[in-house]
Amino acid sequence: MALTFGFWSEQETQVGQSYARRLHELVDEVRLAEKVGFDCVALSEQHVALGGISSSAPEVVYGYLAAVTSRVKLRSAVTLMPQKINHALRSAERLAVTDILSHGRMEFYAGRANTTIAMRAFNVDPGETLAQMEEGIALLKKSMREDIFTFEGKYYQIPPRMLVPKPIQKPHPVIGIAATSERSHSWAGSEGLAVMSNCIYQGWEVQEKLLNTYRRGWKRDEQGPLDRPRIGIPLFFGIGSTDQKAKDDYAEPLMRYARISTDAYPRLAKLADDYAYMSESVPAMERAGKDWDYLLNHSATTVCGSPDTVIRQIEKFQAMGVDEVLLHLDSVNHEKIMEAIDMCGRYVIPHFNDRKNVVRPTEDILGQIRAMRPQK
């Protein structure tokens, strides 16, 4: 089965550069990604973030991308589900409208929020984010599946109403969650959802355990769009003409991202029981932020090197039964991101999905031809 390749961005903007220009650069990156063979574009949702991450309104970007692309799937990665950030019914409305404008190319992946900066800005109780995500997804599905629906839950009470309009994809677009805990992997499987799995830098054994938990818990949702488990892995990514060139360009930016992106996790672990498991990952997170060998070879989160090296690294995830890889193309300037997208389309994606169109050495082809000739 072909491996799906995703372009994943948080619209990270480098120090001294313009947020406005970065947004237009992102559009150029998406258009190139579609041209060279990426299957989907996944945009993060981050609010009042410190530093360069600026993807505060991805739902607006999807509407624009729907008009300037024609093939790639457009995926929220993820829509934050705390009620005070995104009311689930509003999320359903935005999803349906963008699905129509994109001619059925939307996918919806949800998350519960993982930064205290955003939670405190929106007055979100960390102890309620998990329950609100799960109930919000239930409301989202019900509103799209039923003509007239009603909903009675702890956080949402909806009298008989109709979602207008409904999405093109029936019964609705693919729905999944971002998951880092065993509990969330098990729940996603039991609900028949897709999963975007991450081990928070804890390594291959932990990642394998999480994937097995999801597979064991899988139960087909008879009213849903998926007939089998769907596993995606977000990968921090760098590529260059040689391993050394890739390391020179990406090692420090990727380690810096590891330090910044997980800074809130130790605090979250102390704020609510649902986040307590994150404390187990603190040693791995700290090591990933300063040890390049660990980050690249042992954390099960990062691929970086020459095209041949990147292919070998991605093959390890494919061997784990992963259906798709989402390459996080951020942390460097726009020119390097465009170069990385082009190299992926030229060398990496064809290796997995179009091998018969990949040029091979003449000697290899001649050897096979000669071996197939009738023997006298």
Side-chain angles (χ1 to χ4, degrees):
M1 191 172 189
L3 191 65
T4 296
F5 279 82
F7 168 95
W8 170 38
S9 176
E10 293 180 304
Q11 205 176 306
E12 189 174 354
T13 308
Q14 302 301 301
V15 172
Q17 295 187 358
S18 161
Y19 287 119
R21 179 168 179 170
R22 179 72 191 98
L23 186 52
H24 288 284
E25 289 175 345
L26 173 65
V27 173
D28 291 339
E29 291 159 10
V30 169
R31 295 178 74 173
L32 178 61
E34 177 177 70
K35 178 180 177 180
V36 304
F38 279 79
D39 302 289
C40 80
V41 172
L43 302 181
S44 177
E45 179 183 344
Q46 304 286 342
H47 297 287
V48 294
L50 300 178
I53 292 174
S54 56
S55 51
S56 59
E59 63 277 2
V60 177
V61 182
Y62 300 140
Y64 189 93
L65 292 178
V68 299
T69 61
S70 60
R71 180 186 58 80
V72 289
K73 292 284 188 178
L74 305 174
R75 176 185 303 179
S76 58
V78 295
T79 294
L80 301 179
M81 297 301 285
Q83 190 177 40
K84 290 181 178 180
I85 299 178
N86 287 304
H87 191 289
L89 198 51
R90 288 288 289 126
S91 293
E93 290 173 333
R94 289 192 290 256
L95 175 60
V97 169
T98 319
D99 195 53
I100 292 169
L101 291 175
S102 66
H103 300 286
R105 290 187 284 135
M106 281 302 297
E107 297 181 341
F108 184 88
Y109 279 59
R112 56 183 174 127
N114 61 4
T115 70
T116 53
I117 291 175
M119 285 190 234
R120 286 171 177 160
F122 286 90
N123 297 311
V124 170
D125 181 350
E128 296 188 324
T129 59
L130 181 61
Q132 288 186 8
M133 180 188 76
E134 293 178 356
E135 187 172 303
I137 289 175
L139 170 55
L140 188 92
K141 291 191 292 186
K142 205 168 194 291
S143 69
M144 291 186 289
R145 290 176 179 180
E146 300 178 11
D147 183 22
I148 307 294
F149 73 95
T150 184
F151 192 90
E152 190 66 34
K154 178 179 178 181
Y155 302 101
Y156 295 103
Q157 299 83 40
I158 313 292
R161 292 291 184 269
M162 181 170 65
L163 182 69
V164 180
K166 286 186 168 59
I168 286 180
Q169 297 181 76
K170 305 301 181 190
H172 50 69
V174 167
I175 296 175
I177 66 166
T180 55
S181 69
E182 283 192 74
R183 186 209 177 282
S184 289
H185 281 80
S186 179
W187 181 82
S190 70
E191 293 290 313
L193 302 175
V195 71
M196 189 166 68
S197 175
N198 186 271
C199 67
I200 323 181
Y201 300 103
Q202 293 178 94
W204 296 99
E205 185 176 340
V206 172
Q207 185 62 74
E208 185 74 48
K209 184 178 181 181
L210 293 173
L211 299 187
N212 288 337
T213 298
Y214 171 69
R215 293 188 190 101
R216 283 195 304 270
W218 172 263
K219 182 180 178 183
R220 180 164 173 12
D221 178 355
E222 297 299 332
Q223 299 182 67
L226 292 179
D227 59 7
R228 58 180 292 274
R230 184 201 274 193
I231 297 171
I233 299 278
L235 296 174
F236 303 111
F237 182 74
I239 192 169
S241 56
T242 66
D243 288 348
Q244 187 61 50
K245 174 65 171 158
K247 180 180 179 182
D248 290 345
D249 287 344
Y250 288 95
E252 181 50 37
L254 292 179
M255 286 191 290
R256 183 175 67 249
Y257 184 90
R259 293 191 293 270
I260 294 171
S261 65
T262 55
D263 179 63
Y265 289 8
R267 293 194 296 275
L268 274 173
K270 298 176 182 178
L271 290 178
D273 290 342
D274 288 337
Y275 291 99
Y277 73 94
M278 286 183 169
S279 63
E280 300 172 6
S281 65
V282 171
M285 289 189 288
E286 292 176 346
R287 188 173 179 184
K290 60 187 178 183
D291 183 341
W292 175 243
D293 177 67
Y294 177 79
L295 177 62
L296 179 63
N297 298 312
H298 305 288
S299 72
T301 63
T302 304
V303 297
C304 184
S306 68
D308 286 343
T309 296
V310 165
I311 286 168
R312 291 196 303 272
Q313 292 168 338
I314 291 177
E315 284 175 339
K316 292 181 68 175
F317 291 94
Q318 187 180 40
M320 296 171 71
V322 168
D323 301 296
E324 57 185 20
V325 291
L326 303 177
L327 304 181
H328 184 246
L329 288 157
D330 261 326
S331 303
V332 294
N333 62 38
H334 171 61
E335 290 72 25
K336 287 205 180 304
I337 293 173
M338 294 289 274
E339 180 183 277
I341 292 169
D342 182 70
M343 292 184 77
C344 282
R346 193 178 299 274
Y347 303 112
V348 179
I349 295 174
H351 173 85
F352 290 93
N353 297 342
D354 199 14
R355 294 191 187 191
K356 290 182 180 179
N357 274 326
V358 174
V359 177
R360 291 175 289 158
T362 302
E363 296 77 11
D364 291 354
I365 300 171
L366 283 174
Q368 190 172 346
I369 289 172
R370 289 164 181 155
M372 293 176 67
R373 288 173 178 166
Q375 300 299 312
K376 294 182 179 179

